């Protein structure tokens, strides 16, 4: 496995890799969710490149950029284990060289939910994803459904800018008790982790109700609120939305998505599930 730290090293490494290339953009602190993306990329491409870059522009000033976990040696070992060919782990100035002055701003699916709670976050994501895709030029890029809104923002930007890459969305990986894997789960105390389960339980309860015939999105949102409030979680949003536009829906006649963001102590968690009405 090659580790490239600079754009020049990346170019040299890319020239040696057989195509097609699958890219897995990450911020490191790799867990089983990231590794599932890398394995899928491994199965579908001749080469796999994984990027590790804690992107400063997608963090708000009060957020956890400084304390975000950066276990690089462990990440490299895990990447090698799952058959990654190339890791691009650049310092900030390789991604944003002096004079860098461009941002990529996606409206549409960015406008609600995370876009409201974390203003500017998706511009940071869209800018770095565009930059990384242009540096790696992969045939495919793999993103987790755990960050469902991010996935739709990336799909929108790739379509709007006609970037020559296929975006592959991959299912959320969960602990056996349902908690969606996240690099931020390490911040949870055992007691907080237990209470955090109310989020996935609320979302899955909503999915069960929809499968049983419930179509009223507001009733489902109220139900989800009851679940998470009973566990003492602070709600940023719990919403039933169109799976592509991320606009709220009122009646579930077609597949929709339930999205949630809650705070458990100082830790903010997001999750989502598909809502599939009976035929
Ligand atoms: O999902 C992430 O880890 C990040 O938002 C991404 C896509 C790597 C961009 O920094």
């Amino acid at each position: 496995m090659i580790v490239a730290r600079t754009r020049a090293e990346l170019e040299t490494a890319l020239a040696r890799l057989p195509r097609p290339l699958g890219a897995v953009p990450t911020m490191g602190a790799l867990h089983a969710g990231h590794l599932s993306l890398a394995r899928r990329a491994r199965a579908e491409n001749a080469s796999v490149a994984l990027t590790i870059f804690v992107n400063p522009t997608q963090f708000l000033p009060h957020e956890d950029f400084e304390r975000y976990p950066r276990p690089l040696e462990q990440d490299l070992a895990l990447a090698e284990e799952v058959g990654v060919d190339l890791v691009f782990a650049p310092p900030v100035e390789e991604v944003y060289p002096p004079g860098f002055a461009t941002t990529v701003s996606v409206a549409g699916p960015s406008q609600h939910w995370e876009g409201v709670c974390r203003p500017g976050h998706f511009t940071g994501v869209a800018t770095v994803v565009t930059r990384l895709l242009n540096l790696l030029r992969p045939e495919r890029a793999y993103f987790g459904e755990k960050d469902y809104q991010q996935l739709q923002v990336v799909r929108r930007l790739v379509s709007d800018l006609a970037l020559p890459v296929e975006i592959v969305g991959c299912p959320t990986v969960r602990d056996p008790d349902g908690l969606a894997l996240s690099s931020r789960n390490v911040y949870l105390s055992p007691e907080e982790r237990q209470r955090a389960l109310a989020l996935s339980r609320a979302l899955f309860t909503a999915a069960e109700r929809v499968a049983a015939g419930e179509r009223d999105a507001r009733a489902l949102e109220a139900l989800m609120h009851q679940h998470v409030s009973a566990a003492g979680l602070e709600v940023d949003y719990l919403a039933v939305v169109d799976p592509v536009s991320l606009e709220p829906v009122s009646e579930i006649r077609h597949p929709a998505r339930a999205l949630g963001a809650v705070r458990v102590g100082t830790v903010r968690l997001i999750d989502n599930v598909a809502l599939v009405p009976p035929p």
Side-chain angles (χ1 to χ4, degrees):
M1 186 177 80
I2 306 164
V3 180
R5 304 299 304 238
T6 65
R7 283 170 285 150
E9 288 170 6
L10 177 67
E11 275 304 317
T12 308
L14 286 173
R16 290 168 38 192
L17 290 183
R19 295 277 164 164
L21 173 68
V24 183
T26 82
M27 298 205 300
L30 301 182
H31 52 62
H34 298 113
L35 301 181
S36 75
L37 305 181
R39 286 198 189 92
R40 172 97 177 256
R42 177 74 281 160
E44 296 180 352
N45 300 278
S47 308
V48 178
L50 182 134
T51 67
I52 297 177
F53 180 62
V54 184
N55 172 35
T57 66
Q58 69 188 73
F59 289 79
L60 275 68
H62 64 277
E63 291 184 344
D64 55 345
F65 173 68
E66 294 297 341
R67 73 165 179 150
Y68 198 85
R70 291 167 171 82
L72 183 62
E73 290 309 314
Q74 183 186 306
D75 285 349
L76 294 179
L78 289 170
E80 185 145 35
E81 256 174 50
V82 293
V84 168
D85 300 294
L86 165 64
V87 171
F88 181 45
V92 172
E93 59 276 16
E94 285 291 326
V95 177
Y96 300 117
F100 191 95
T102 300
T103 53
V104 179
S105 171
V106 181
S110 291
Q111 280 173 325
H112 297 288
W113 324 121
E114 291 302 285
V116 173
C117 295
R118 305 180 70 192
H121 166 70
F122 283 127
T123 297
V125 170
T127 303
V128 81
V129 167
T130 306
R131 178 104 171 114
L132 291 171
L133 292 176
N134 282 332
L135 290 173
L136 272 81
R137 303 180 297 281
E139 278 75 13
R140 299 189 186 90
Y142 294 79
F143 293 85
E145 287 183 350
K146 156 74 172 43
D147 294 300
Y148 188 81
Q149 190 173 5
Q150 166 176 282
L151 173 61
Q152 301 314 315
V153 169
V154 170
R155 286 193 192 285
R156 184 78 259 166
L157 100 86
V158 163
S159 167
D160 289 355
L161 300 183
L163 301 182
V165 59
E166 178 192 346
I167 300 302
V168 183
C170 302
T172 302
V173 177
R174 297 178 182 278
D175 278 333
D177 58 12
L179 188 71
L181 296 193
S182 161
S183 303
R184 290 188 167 103
N185 290 354
V186 296
Y187 301 147
L188 295 168
S189 70
E191 183 270 334
E192 288 170 337
R193 192 191 172 290
Q194 195 55 35
R195 285 196 292 129
L197 292 175
L199 175 58
S200 56
R201 288 187 183 145
L203 294 166
F204 280 112
T205 302
E208 282 163 19
R209 292 289 173 94
V210 171
E214 177 64 79
R215 290 182 187 276
D216 181 348
R218 296 297 87 76
L220 291 164
E221 288 168 0
L223 179 72
M224 292 191 289
H225 269 272
Q226 279 167 19
H227 268 267
V228 301
S229 302
L233 309 184
E234 302 265 329
V235 177
D236 275 355
Y237 58 82
L238 285 162
V240 175
V241 307
D242 177 273
V244 176
S245 71
L246 279 299
E247 291 290 330
V249 297
S250 50
E251 198 181 359
I252 303 166
R253 299 222 154 268
H254 307 285
R257 206 89 192 175
L259 306 179
V262 297
R263 277 169 285 122
V264 193
T266 57
V267 187
R268 187 169 183 280
L269 299 174
I270 61 171
D271 197 356
N272 67 90
V273 299
L275 301 178
V276 184

